Amino acid sequence: MKSRRLLLLASLSVILHLTKAQESVAAGVRATQSTTRTRYGDAGNAIDGNRDSDIRSSSCSRTRRQCRPWWRVDLLEHYRIFVVSITAASRRGRRLRGAEIRIGDSLENNGNSNTLCARIGSIRPGQTANFYCEPAGVHGRFLNIVLPRCRSSLILCEVEAFGALEPH
C-alpha cells in the first residue's frame, strides 16, 4: 500500500513538472476540424499559443452545429501524453461538458475511435482546465476532441498537450 502511494506521488510530481516546465507538444503543428463555422473559427486558432477566450478575437476554433463535431491535431511524432489543458470560450464554455479527449495513431472515424484519455466534466467559461491521461499517459500521434452529441458546436480557445516523445 505504501509503495502504491509513493508511485502515485512520483507520477503526480512528473505531471506537475511537465505542465510547468515544458512547452505544449501541440504548438506549431497543424490542426483540422469537422467543419468551420466562421472565418474566425479556424482549427489552428486553438493551438496558436493565445488563451484569449473571446470567440470574436480570432483565437478560438469553432465548428458549425452538427452531429458529433470534432477537432484534431497531428503531433507529427508519437508522444506519450500525460496532460491536456483546454481553455474554454468565455461565453460558451459549458458546452464542452461531455466532450472526449482521444489520443492514438488511427484516423479511422476521423480519429474519434482512438484511446480515451479523459472526458470533460466541466470547464468554467473563459477558464483553462487540465485533464489527466491516467494512469500512465496515452500514446499516439493524433489528439482529438469530440463532442458526442448532435446539434452541437465545438469551440476551443486553446488546447495544450504535455508529454514525452516516445517513438514507435
Side-chain angles (χ1 to χ4, degrees), residues 73-120:
V73 64
D74 180 350
L75 302 173
L76 303 177
E77 297 190 64
H78 293 86
Y79 288 87
R80 180 160 300 275
I81 302 297
F82 298 99
V83 182
V84 177
S85 295
I86 298 175
T87 301
S90 57
R91 296 180 183 212
R92 294 174 172 89
R94 299 197 196 289
R95 290 186 181 182
L96 287 173
R97 181 174 280 127
E100 299 170 348
I101 302 168
R102 295 187 168 270
I103 299 169
D105 295 324
S106 175
L107 286 176
E108 179 183 332
N109 188 25
N110 292 306
N112 297 323
S113 298
N114 282 324
T115 303
L116 180 66
C117 158
R119 187 170 280 112
I120 297 173

Side-chain angles (χ1 to χ4, degrees), residues 147-167:
L147 199 52
R149 58 180 176 259
C150 289
R151 296 186 308 272
S152 297
S153 176
L154 181 61
I155 303 170
L156 302 165
C157 292
E158 194 64 26
V159 177
E160 299 165 287
F162 301 95
L165 186 62
E166 190 176 81

Side-chain angles (χ1 to χ4, degrees), residues 24 40 43 50 59 63 69 73 77 83 90 94-95 102 111 119 130 134 138-139 142:
S24 171
Y40 304 114
N50 182 351
S59 180
T63 66
V73 64
E77 297 190 64
V83 182
S90 57
R94 299 197 196 289
R95 290 186 181 182
R102 295 187 168 270
R119 187 170 280 112
N130 291 331
E134 296 178 0
V138 178
H139 178 270
F142 302 106

Side-chain angles (χ1 to χ4, degrees), residues 27-41:
V29 294
R30 189 170 186 283
T32 189
Q33 59 193 11
S34 52
T35 59
T36 300
R37 171 130 193 271
T38 66
R39 62 185 172 151
Y40 304 114

Side-chain angles (χ1 to χ4, degrees), residues 11-25 51 81-86 128-133 160-164:
S11 297
L12 288 173
S13 175
V14 168
I15 288 169
L16 289 173
H17 174 73
L18 283 170
T19 59
K20 298 290 184 202
Q22 188 182 42
E23 281 188 27
S24 171
V25 298
R51 288 186 175 177
I81 302 297
F82 298 99
V83 182
V84 177
S85 295
I86 298 175
T128 301
N130 291 331
F131 299 91
Y132 301 93
C133 303
E160 299 165 287
F162 301 95

Side-chain angles (χ1 to χ4, degrees), residues 45 48 50-62 86-93 96 123-128 155-158:
N45 292 348
D48 63 0
N50 182 351
R51 288 186 175 177
D52 186 344
S53 60
D54 184 351
I55 297 169
R56 298 166 295 188
S57 69
S58 297
S59 180
C60 303
S61 68
R62 186 176 188 179
I86 298 175
T87 301
S90 57
R91 296 180 183 212
R92 294 174 172 89
L96 287 173
I123 303 176
R124 292 172 59 183
Q127 299 297 306
T128 301
I155 303 170
L156 302 165
C157 292
E158 194 64 26

